[in-house]
Amino acid sequence: MNLIDEFKKGVLYSAIGKYSNVLVQLLVQAILSRLLTPKEYGVVAIVNVFLIFFQMLADFGIGPAIIQNKKLTKKEINSIFVFSCYLAVVLGLIFMSLGYPISLFYGDAVYIPISLVLGVCVFFYGILVVPQNMLLREKNFMVVNMVTVIANVLSGVISIVLAVMGFSYYSLIIANTLKAAFLFFVFYFKTKLTFSFKLNLNPIKKIFSFSKNQFIFNFINYFSGNLDKILIGRYFSASSLAYYDKSYQLSLYPNQILTNVIYPVIQPIMSDYETKTDKIKQVYLLLTRFLGTIGLSLSIFLFFSAKEIILFLFGGQWDGSIATFQILAFSVWIQLILTITGAIFQSANRTDLLLVSGILTALTNITAMLIGMYTGKIEYVALLLVIAFTLNFLQTNYLLMYKMFESNYVEFFIILVKPALMAGSQALVFYLLPTLPFSNFIDLVIKSFIFILVFGLGLIVTGEMKVIKELMAKRK
């Protein structure tokens, strides 16, 4: 099977899974946002910051290393799984003990019992790493995505039932823990891994050089991506954090719909072309052109439709998220392209450059967050983050185009000229559009129709429609 066909097959299964997951998540969030208050969501947003950190520690860079290293035997992968189990136990116990200091930091004792429950969640996410990435290594995208869809449906139903029963924020926490457990047991039996009390560190040493850089990058990336939530939760109100987090998560949905469909497929397939950087560059530029075409126009649409989207999806109590979401909408296209760069670095076995990019990203993001915190408004935090994302977009693509591909900015930015013209046409149309007098739902439907119409005409006029058709039909 050639490269294009492999991508098509991988993206197909990934798309089915991701789109189903996004649909499920939107439906569940639409229901839960009317059952739970912003304050309750704020509590969950705070603990999720720490949960993500421990999930990153549990991964330890092992997942991408398993995919990249084609010389690992089944026995060696099994030894790595045993190591991940021991690591997961330790991290789960540590998380359980963090409830008291977290409660002191945020001035709320509620985090003590919550940490006990999430300690179990940390354990399951930790032992999930190896079986899940083993399936991706084998390019078994269908199993990974279908099982994840089922897990999200079950988790969503459980969270809604618990919320109706009055479990408050525990409805989200318990559902997430059960989801992690379900994913582990299914993936574990699919991969036929076995647990042994004997610990063999030799396979870990074999992947250490790759996983070390990947882990340090993840570690730095975590703080640059979550410090805003930690500080907002500490120095603002729980409701302010909920408004900010809701708008931030909503701005990431295009990533889930587009980039997260492509990202899981890139490294498993492109790692076979590790030494052929021209081939990797070709794929990167094609993906950038595709994501830029959609992302730039989508950013404009989301900015002008922010009010209708927020109020329709989550209800009137979330109007505090509208202005922040409008600001973050301008970063949507940047985040779409930036998200795939990690897999491109990994595919060429250049986690050293990935680490450099991560350090620069962290410095830029943290500076923006601290200045934003000083202003005292979540809208300014969002605005400064958008500026930081733009700077990171430039430095990441400098490392890719100049250092890895030995090319230049011109080759990169020239492919974004037509997408930018299409976005400009969207901005003009929505700016001239008069205020609609209907309900949020009807207004959103009308704006969506206008977006699709202008976008379709833009594809035809710029010739991008022809390029997309040729790419879909390409066989060699």
Side-chain angles (χ1 to χ4, degrees):
M1 185 180 296
N2 62 49
L3 177 60
I4 296 297
D5 284 341
E6 279 193 295
F7 258 104
K8 287 180 182 178
K9 182 179 178 182
V11 169
L12 173 63
Y13 290 131
S14 187
I16 294 172
K18 295 297 180 182
Y19 294 159
S20 300
N21 285 327
V22 168
L23 185 62
V24 170
Q25 288 170 7
L26 280 174
L27 181 60
V28 170
Q29 288 299 316
I31 297 172
L32 288 175
S33 294
R34 289 164 170 81
L35 295 174
L36 303 177
T37 65
K39 184 178 180 179
E40 289 172 314
Y41 263 100
V43 170
V44 176
I46 288 173
V47 293
N48 273 346
V49 171
F50 296 97
L51 176 62
I52 292 169
F53 176 67
F54 273 75
Q55 285 179 240
M56 177 207 64
L57 292 177
D59 183 275
F60 200 65
I62 290 172
I66 289 175
I67 294 173
Q68 188 70 23
N69 195 323
K70 306 301 183 184
K71 296 180 181 179
L72 286 174
T73 65
K74 180 69 178 289
K75 184 178 180 180
E76 288 174 323
I77 293 176
N78 210 83
S79 296
I80 295 172
F81 170 66
V82 173
F83 170 80
S84 72
C85 289
Y86 281 113
L87 180 62
V89 170
V90 173
L91 291 175
L93 292 174
I94 292 174
F95 195 95
M96 288 180 176
S97 68
L98 286 180
Y100 187 69
I102 292 175
S103 294
L104 283 178
F105 185 74
Y106 289 104
D108 194 338
V110 71
Y111 299 108
I112 296 175
I114 286 177
S115 295
L116 293 176
V117 178
L118 285 180
V120 180
C121 189
V122 167
F123 167 73
F124 279 113
Y125 273 117
I127 60 178
L128 170 64
V129 171
V130 174
Q132 181 175 21
N133 283 280
M134 188 175 173
L135 288 170
L136 290 174
R137 183 177 189 255
E138 297 168 353
K139 302 174 186 176
N140 203 337
F141 304 115
M142 184 180 71
V143 170
V144 173
N145 284 284
M146 293 304 101
V147 172
T148 303
V149 171
I150 296 171
N152 279 325
V153 171
L154 293 175
S155 173
V157 171
I158 292 170
S159 61
I160 292 170
V161 170
L162 292 177
V164 171
M165 294 173 63
F167 275 73
S168 185
Y169 33 75
Y170 281 107
S171 58
L172 298 171
I173 293 165
I174 294 173
N176 192 20
T177 303
L178 293 175
K179 171 188 169 182
F182 176 81
L183 286 171
F184 165 71
F185 283 115
V186 176
F187 291 158
Y188 175 73
F189 288 112
K190 282 288 181 181
T191 53
K192 296 181 172 61
L193 290 166
T194 56
F195 176 78
S196 168
F197 286 101
K198 184 180 178 181
L199 184 61
N200 179 12
L201 295 179
N202 288 327
I204 294 294
K205 295 176 182 177
K206 193 172 181 178
I207 63 172
F208 182 71
S209 61
F210 183 98
S211 61
K212 173 192 65 177
N213 289 331
Q214 180 69 50
F215 173 73
I216 297 174
F217 167 78
N218 290 344
F219 188 85
I220 294 171
N221 195 48
Y222 164 82
F223 281 104
S224 69
N226 290 279
L227 183 63
D228 52 346
K229 300 178 188 68
I230 294 174
L231 295 177
I232 290 173
R234 175 65 177 83
Y235 296 107
F236 292 63
S237 66
S239 296
S240 294
L241 175 59
Y243 290 137
Y244 177 84
D245 188 60
K246 183 70 75 175
S247 54
Y248 190 87
Q249 294 302 318
L250 191 58
S251 74
L252 294 179
Y253 271 114
N255 251 329
Q256 294 189 39
I257 295 171
L258 293 170
T259 314
N260 284 4
V261 171
I262 301 169
Y263 185 90
V265 178
I266 296 174
Q267 193 198 1
I269 293 175
M270 293 310 299
S271 58
D272 293 338
Y273 300 86
E274 180 180 315
T275 59
K276 300 177 181 178
T277 53
D278 284 344
K279 180 70 72 174
I280 297 175
K281 181 179 76 172
Q282 178 189 1
V283 169
Y284 176 59
L285 292 178
L286 279 172
L287 292 176
T288 297
R289 185 171 185 172
F290 172 73
L291 295 172
T293 298
I294 297 176
L296 278 159
S297 292
L298 187 60
S299 287
I300 300 300
F301 167 73
L302 294 176
F303 173 80
F304 283 100
S305 307
K307 177 185 175 183
E308 292 83 0
I309 292 172
I310 293 286
L311 297 182
F312 169 66
L313 286 178
F314 307 124
Q317 66 173 335
W318 292 95
D319 59 350
S321 297
I322 295 172
T324 305
F325 180 61
Q326 280 187 304
I327 296 167
L328 290 173
F330 286 113
S331 71
V332 166
W333 73 275
I334 294 174
Q335 293 186 72
L336 285 175
I337 298 173
L338 274 180
T339 299
I340 66 170
T341 58
I344 298 297
F345 281 123
Q346 291 167 350
S347 298
N349 201 10
R350 292 305 304 270
T351 51
D352 56 333
L353 290 178
L354 178 64
L355 178 56
V356 172
S357 175
I359 293 171
L360 294 174
T361 296
L363 291 173
T364 308
N365 284 355
I366 290 173
T367 301
M369 290 172 196
L370 292 176
I371 297 173
M373 287 294 168
Y374 182 76
T375 67
K377 291 188 175 182
I378 57 174
E379 291 84 4
Y380 288 145
V381 176
L383 177 61
L384 286 159
L385 272 180
V386 172
I387 295 173
F389 291 154
T390 304
L391 295 174
N392 291 329
F393 181 77
L394 294 173
Q395 62 89 359
T396 300
N397 280 290
Y398 172 81
L399 292 172
L400 277 171
M401 298 306 297
Y402 284 84
K403 298 298 182 181
M404 197 167 95
F405 296 141
E406 298 180 352
S407 182
N408 52 58
Y409 275 142
V410 174
E411 186 178 9
F412 176 77
F413 281 107
I414 198 169
I415 64 175
L416 293 175
V417 171
K418 290 182 179 179
L421 292 174
M422 290 175 59
S425 66
Q426 291 278 358
L428 179 62
V429 169
F430 279 109
Y431 179 76
L432 296 175
L433 184 70
T435 302
L436 299 174
F438 310 107
S439 66
N440 290 316
F441 174 71
I442 298 299
D443 289 353
L444 183 58
V445 170
I446 293 172
K447 288 186 175 182
S448 299
F449 177 78
I450 293 172
F451 166 73
I452 293 171
L453 179 62
V454 176
F455 184 74
L457 290 173
L459 287 176
I460 296 170
V461 172
T462 60
E464 293 298 280
M465 179 72 79
K466 183 179 179 181
V467 173
I468 293 174
K469 286 182 177 179
E470 288 176 352
L471 179 62
M472 297 302 296
K474 192 173 179 181
R475 303 292 300 177
K476 296 180 180 180

